[in-house]
Amino acid sequence: MAMENQVLTPHVYWAQRHRELYLRVELSDVQNPAISITENVLHFKAQGHGAKGDNVYEFHLEFLDLVKPEPVYKLTQRQVNITVQKKVSQWWERLTKQEKRPLFLAPDFDRWLDESDAEMELRAKEEERLNKLRLESQGSPETLTSLKKGYLFMYNLVQFLGFSWIFVNLTVRFFILGKESFYDTFHTVADMMYFCQMLAVVETINAAIGVTSSPVMPSLIQLLGRNFILFIIFGTMEEMQNKAVVFFVFYMWSAVEIFRYPFYMLSCIDMDWKVLTWLRYTVWIPIYPLGCLAEAVSVIQSIPIFNETGRFSFTLPYPVKIKVRFSFFLQIYLIMLFLGLYINFRHLYKQRRRRYGQKKKKIH
């Protein structure tokens, strides 16, 4: 039986930015498209060639949030591209008001960006617009964007070189000396680790003042946690500096950073090396828990040493006169350590899911 007059639903693919929605309707040779938005519902009807041949295809989508009622569309030989402006610039968790995704709707992976990448794109566009205005008003040949990218590239390069030196040094010494290399790790690489971790303060400042789009809290948690272990647990207690746990803490830290910093370097020059990107979003899965475990072991091993030496312990003033041992705060820190691991692990998991998980999960 002929299906020429049957009304069918086309395949529709979508993506978003903070201010816009993009829909790609898989219809070729479209004739007389009727596209409108009424009461926040997109109505589409057109004659064209789709999955069921030449037919009338139509669909209706009620958006998750308010949109402007003036859709803009462009016809090509193979598809219809529709752009819809959001009324409020924000990120949507899905496209439609209904939680269940319509069967004909799927993500447009050719245009898909996760929220952090979209924020970077939005920032870049805004910076480009401001730079053009600045150039028109001041006539300056130098742009803030190029300076920022150069600054970030150099920062990430220095950190990459520092952590690479630590990682290679520890690896080579282990293969040459075996387990004996564990016990003098601190005296071998501590100066470089001090340098890298003090320089990491810049990373948190960059996030706080908006130089980068990274959230401040995960960066701050990692900075404070690592520096507490490095400067307090290892740095102030010579008894801890000869323990094997120092090797494992430093090795886990550097193993993560030798992939993270080159990824950021290439991002500064708009390069995407897929292998490096996958490693940046994957190696933390085993390394972060192992690093946290190594840090916890170092804290546990330091408790009896702090109790014996009385370092950082103090006595409350009269009339209480209770001695407060520093080990009490170390026990609290152990709880905070795993809480920080949960926060950072959750943040990194979301980043990875946004980048690689779209094809596995349902997207509305």
Side-chain angles (χ1 to χ4, degrees), residues 177-193:
L177 302 176
K179 294 181 180 179
E180 294 298 321
S181 66
F182 293 169
Y183 303 103
D184 61 350
T185 295
F186 186 86
H187 302 288
T188 305
V189 301
D191 289 341
M192 182 60 73
M193 186 61 79

Side-chain angles (χ1 to χ4, degrees), residues 129-148:
R129 185 184 69 83
L130 293 174
N131 286 332
K132 286 182 179 179
L133 293 175
R134 192 177 295 111
L135 287 173
E136 291 175 359
S137 61
Q138 300 177 359
S140 173
E142 202 166 26
T143 65
L144 179 62
T145 302
S146 60
L147 286 174
K148 187 183 80 169

Side-chain angles (χ1 to χ4, degrees), residues 279-299:
L279 289 171
R280 181 263 181 272
Y281 284 102
T282 305
V283 294
W284 61 267
I285 297 174
I287 292 178
Y288 258 65
L290 290 175
C292 183
L293 180 61
E295 293 176 29
V297 170
S298 69
V299 173

Side-chain angles (χ1 to χ4, degrees), residues 310-325:
R311 182 166 293 181
F312 302 131
S313 299
F314 58 92
T315 302
L316 295 175
Y318 180 84
V320 181
K321 289 189 175 181
I322 296 177
K323 186 175 183 179
V324 180
R325 295 183 179 274

